[in-house]
């Protein structure tokens, strides 16, 4: 007898975009939880919420990827962001230098923390934007929940390292060019996987060994170890996830490059 009321309630949340949905994370589907992260302005809160969602997903407290009976709200074209980081054009972002000065090393770490903060949103956007629309299997959600958790941990570690060096995340300007490519690939999961995971993340892996050497050569072994021992090997798995799911889509859909029902 209560089923129609529950369905009406879910449809009401859908129509309002879940903006005022105060339910505990454990009561949400994974896609609803992803949307909540994307609508959270603070990068530190995004990271903390990601940790909680990951834990709930792993233990089965968040049990469903999405509700097949209720269309999910659309992800925001740009995730919510507070004003702690002043965004500038890429050409006006701080020069990173070669790591020879404390200021240069802080600038490099700040740039990496900024990338990781956007990577959290990218991970949840791929879940919310494409998971249901492309009828992806549970393993897809498993992979990108793990990617999101890794990115959140990387952000937290880099932000903490900045504090140890007398700075903080938000002390320097940055650009959001990483999200520009997310907008450009919003209509195609295949394109998103290729551009974000097989190009951007792969390029990051290419240059990270040289970045590690900059820190090591200039006496910052702690930062070098953080990049070499934690971030680098986990980013390798993220690149592999992009390749794996691109191959899956090619085999399943014959290389279809569109989102079902989308552009």
């Amino acid at each position: 007898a209560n089923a129609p009321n529950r369905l009406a309630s879910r449809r009401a949340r859908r129509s309002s975009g879940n903006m005022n949905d105060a339910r505990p994370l454990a009561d949400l589907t994974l896609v609803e939880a992803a949307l909540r992260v994307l609508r959270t302005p603070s990068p530190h809160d995004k990271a903390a919420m990601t940790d909680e969602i990951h834990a709930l997903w792993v233990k089965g407290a968040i049990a469903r990827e999405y509700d097949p009976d209720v269309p999910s709200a659309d992800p925001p074209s740009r995730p919510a962001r507070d004003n702690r980081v002043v965004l500038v054009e890429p050409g006006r972002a701080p020069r990173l230098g070669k790591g020879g000065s404390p200021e240069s090393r802080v600038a490099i770490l700040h740039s990496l923390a900024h990338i990781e903060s956007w990577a959290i949103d990218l991970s949840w956007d791929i879940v919310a934007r494409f998971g249901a629309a492309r009828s992806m299997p549970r393993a897809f959600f498993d992979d990108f929940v793990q990617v999101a958790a890794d990115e959140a941990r990387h952000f937290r570690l880099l932000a903490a390292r900045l504090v140890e060096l007398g700075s903080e995340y938000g002390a320097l300007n940055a650009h959001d060019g990483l999200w520009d490519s997310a907008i450009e690939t919003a209509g195609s999961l295949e394109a998103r996987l290729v551009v974000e995971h097989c190009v951007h993340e792969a390029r990051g892996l290419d240059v990270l060994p040289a970045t590690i050497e900059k820190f090591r050569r200039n006496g910052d072994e702690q930062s070098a170890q953080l990049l070499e021992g934690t971030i680098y090997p986990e980013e390798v798995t993220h690149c592999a996830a992009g390749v794996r799911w691109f191959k899956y889509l090619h085999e399943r859909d014959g290389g279809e490059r569109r989102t079902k029902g989308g552009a």
Side-chain angles (χ1 to χ4, degrees), residues 105-125:
R105 293 191 289 277
V106 163
I108 294 170
L109 290 171
H110 192 280
S111 175
L112 292 172
H114 188 65
I115 290 169
E116 297 292 356
S117 78
W118 279 106
I120 296 170
D121 281 327
L122 283 166
S123 301
W124 290 121
D125 186 82

Side-chain angles (χ1 to χ4, degrees), residues 34-40 46 75-76 78-80 121 124-125 128 179:
L35 290 168
R36 186 172 291 184
V37 177
L38 292 169
R39 295 185 178 116
T40 297
K46 288 177 186 284
R78 283 188 179 272
D121 281 327
W124 290 121
D125 186 82
W179 196 261

Side-chain angles (χ1 to χ4, degrees), residues 199-211:
V199 175
H200 289 326
E201 286 202 287
R203 285 176 178 171
L205 289 172
D206 287 343
V207 302
L208 199 51
T211 303

Side-chain angles (χ1 to χ4, degrees), residues 149-253:
D150 291 346
E151 308 293 20
R153 184 171 60 260
H154 298 172
F155 170 75
R156 190 167 52 252
L157 291 169
L158 289 163
R161 184 63 183 143
L162 284 170
V163 171
E164 292 170 352
L165 294 174
S167 187
E168 64 179 349
Y169 179 61
L172 300 176
N173 296 345
H175 67 83
D176 62 349
L178 193 61
W179 196 261
D180 290 340
S181 60
I183 292 174
E184 293 168 1
T185 58
S188 169
L189 176 53
E190 289 88 345
R192 175 69 62 85
L193 292 167
V194 169
V195 171
E196 299 295 352
H197 296 276
C198 303
V199 175
H200 289 326
E201 286 202 287
R203 285 176 178 171
L205 289 172
D206 287 343
V207 302
L208 199 51
T211 303
I212 293 166
E213 181 56 28
K214 287 179 183 179
F215 284 101
R216 184 161 283 143
R217 183 173 62 247
N218 290 288
D220 189 348
E221 183 62 24
Q222 189 170 344
S223 295
Q225 285 290 341
L226 169 60
L227 298 176
E228 185 176 61
T230 300
I231 293 178
Y232 184 87
E234 291 181 353
E235 293 294 343
V236 170
T237 69
H238 303 171
C239 200
V243 173
R244 178 166 57 253
W245 289 107
F246 180 82
K247 288 181 176 178
Y248 167 87
L249 288 167
H250 184 78
E251 293 171 0
R252 189 191 73 175
D253 300 337

